[in-house]
């Protein structure tokens, strides 16, 4: 049932992106906003559902396999979208994207994060599938299972590794690149998922753990917002 739900999200987003591409080409700002919002919504909604499947046996093989598979699917179906505020900063830094367009895309990403969380919580409240039972009673299910300083360093390191890999993979054939990036993300999740969640995406972090941001905004914003952005700026300054 969870796989059907996530597949339905992917199909729906694909149809919305195609419709926007056909109808809104003459309105570039609205087109950019909606496409980025739809794409980020897909990643946030699917990852919210995947977060419930971490304890499915055999552990952690099932969760890692699903992470790899859906990361490949996102890479193939969401070409042209960054779905990550840190990724949007790169063209803004280099002058390839205007401040207005970059800000619009970042706004779209956080709007999508909120919409995905609201929709998934509504679906979970219906308790139509076993993983959804009691999913809303957890409150702030904190992914941070270490000290704030260690969590900050881990998210910073993972962001640097990920952004560096993305830059180095630009010359790789796209059909192989998506698998390399998916494999890297799966390895990072395996390495640090039990400590910080290995998110390194500010919008996705907010969608997954908004309750924790409400309770401990400063610490969570430092770890899940500042650290990934700092990692991105480190890579941009090096290259």
């Amino acid at each position: 049932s969870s796989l059907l739900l996530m597949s339905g999200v992917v199909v729906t987003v694909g149809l919305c992106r195609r419709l926007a591409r056909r109808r809104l080409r003459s309105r570039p700002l609205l087109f950019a906003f909606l496409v980025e919002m739809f794409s980020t919504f897909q990643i946030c909604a699917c990852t919210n559902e995947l977060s419930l499947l971490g304890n499915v046996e055999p552990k952690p093989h099932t969760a890692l396999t699903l992470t790899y598979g859906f990361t490949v699917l996102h890479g193939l179906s969401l070409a042209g979208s960054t779905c990550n505020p840190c990724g949007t900063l790169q063209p803004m830094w280099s002058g390839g994207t205007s401040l207005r367009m970059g800000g619009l895309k970042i706004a779209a990403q956080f709007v999508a994060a909120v919409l995905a969380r609201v929709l998934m919580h509504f679906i979970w409240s219906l308790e139509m599938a076993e993983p959804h039972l009691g999913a809303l009673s957890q409150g702030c299910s904190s992914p941070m299972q270490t000290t704030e300083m260690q969590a900050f360093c881990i998210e910073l390191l993972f962001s640097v590794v990920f952004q560096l890999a993305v830059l180095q993979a630009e010359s790789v054939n796209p059909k192989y690149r998506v698998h390399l990036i998916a494999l890297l993300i799966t390895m990072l999740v395996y390495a640090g998922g039990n400590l910080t969640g290995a998110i390194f995406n500010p919008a996705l972090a907010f969608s997954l753990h908004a309750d924790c941001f409400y309770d401990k905004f400063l610490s969570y914003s430092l770890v899940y917002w500042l650290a990934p952005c700092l990692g991105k700026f480190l890579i941009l300054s090096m290259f």
Side-chain angles (χ1 to χ4, degrees), residues 2-22:
S2 291
L3 292 177
L4 287 175
L5 173 59
M6 291 186 286
S7 299
V9 170
V10 172
V11 171
T12 302
V13 168
L15 293 175
C16 291
R17 281 168 53 94
R18 179 174 298 181
L19 182 62
R21 191 173 293 109
R22 288 180 177 178

Side-chain angles (χ1 to χ4, degrees), residues 169-221:
E170 286 182 350
S171 59
V172 179
N173 189 308
K175 66 180 180 180
Y176 301 124
R177 183 195 310 153
V178 65
H179 290 279
L180 291 175
I181 297 301
L183 179 61
L184 173 64
I185 290 176
T186 305
M187 292 172 61
L188 293 178
V189 170
Y190 177 72
N194 62 325
L195 297 175
T196 66
I199 304 173
F200 48 89
N201 181 333
L204 178 59
F206 186 72
S207 183
L208 292 173
H209 306 290
D211 292 335
C212 298
F213 280 91
Y214 300 149
D215 294 342
K216 300 178 180 179
F217 177 78
L218 181 59
S219 60
Y220 274 76
S221 60

Side-chain angles (χ1 to χ4, degrees), residues 125-191:
S125 69
L126 301 178
E127 297 187 340
M128 296 184 297
E130 183 178 351
H132 300 168
L133 300 178
L136 297 180
S137 62
Q138 299 177 0
C140 172
S141 54
S142 176
M144 199 186 305
Q145 302 300 316
T146 183
T147 65
E148 291 180 9
M149 181 56 67
Q150 290 178 338
F152 180 88
C153 293
I154 290 172
E155 287 293 310
L156 174 63
L157 174 63
F158 284 4
S159 178
V160 169
V161 172
F162 175 72
Q163 301 297 342
L164 182 60
V166 170
L167 285 176
Q168 295 299 318
E170 286 182 350
S171 59
V172 179
N173 189 308
K175 66 180 180 180
Y176 301 124
R177 183 195 310 153
V178 65
H179 290 279
L180 291 175
I181 297 301
L183 179 61
L184 173 64
I185 290 176
T186 305
M187 292 172 61
L188 293 178
V189 170
Y190 177 72

Side-chain angles (χ1 to χ4, degrees), residues 17-236:
R17 281 168 53 94
R18 179 174 298 181
L19 182 62
R21 191 173 293 109
R22 288 180 177 178
R23 300 293 180 87
L24 299 174
R25 279 295 190 180
S26 60
R27 306 177 66 180
L29 289 179
L30 180 59
F31 172 74
F33 180 89
L34 290 178
V35 168
E36 194 66 31
M37 186 185 72
F38 292 144
S39 302
T40 308
F41 176 88
Q42 174 177 313
I43 290 180
C44 291
C46 290
T47 308
N48 268 279
E49 186 68 18
L50 281 173
S51 67
L52 300 182
L53 305 179
N55 294 322
V56 175
E57 297 292 345
K59 297 188 295 184
H61 305 85
T62 301
L64 293 175
T65 301
L66 290 174
T67 298
Y68 174 81
F70 273 90
T71 303
V72 171
L73 183 59
H74 295 327
L76 293 174
S77 61
L78 302 178
S81 299
T82 58
C83 308
N84 187 335
C86 298
T88 308
L89 292 174
Q90 179 178 348
M92 293 174 63
W93 177 276
S94 61
T97 298
S98 67
L99 183 62
R100 182 183 182 185
M101 179 64 78
L104 193 69
K105 288 186 176 182
I106 292 176
Q109 291 158 1
F110 277 97
V111 168
V114 174
L115 291 177
R117 180 177 178 84
V118 170
L119 174 65
M120 297 310 295
H121 278 214
F122 171 73
I123 294 175
W124 295 348
S125 69
L126 301 178
E127 297 187 340
M128 296 184 297
E130 183 178 351
H132 300 168
L133 300 178
L136 297 180
S137 62
Q138 299 177 0
C140 172
S141 54
S142 176
M144 199 186 305
Q145 302 300 316
T146 183
T147 65
E148 291 180 9
M149 181 56 67
Q150 290 178 338
F152 180 88
C153 293
I154 290 172
E155 287 293 310
L156 174 63
L157 174 63
F158 284 4
S159 178
V160 169
V161 172
F162 175 72
Q163 301 297 342
L164 182 60
V166 170
L167 285 176
Q168 295 299 318
E170 286 182 350
S171 59
V172 179
N173 189 308
K175 66 180 180 180
Y176 301 124
R177 183 195 310 153
V178 65
H179 290 279
L180 291 175
I181 297 301
L183 179 61
L184 173 64
I185 290 176
T186 305
M187 292 172 61
L188 293 178
V189 170
Y190 177 72
N194 62 325
L195 297 175
T196 66
I199 304 173
F200 48 89
N201 181 333
L204 178 59
F206 186 72
S207 183
L208 292 173
H209 306 290
D211 292 335
C212 298
F213 280 91
Y214 300 149
D215 294 342
K216 300 178 180 179
F217 177 78
L218 181 59
S219 60
Y220 274 76
S221 60
L222 288 174
V223 172
Y224 295 105
W225 288 355
L226 180 61
C229 292
L230 180 58
K232 183 65 176 181
F233 280 117
L234 288 174
I235 293 298
L236 291 177

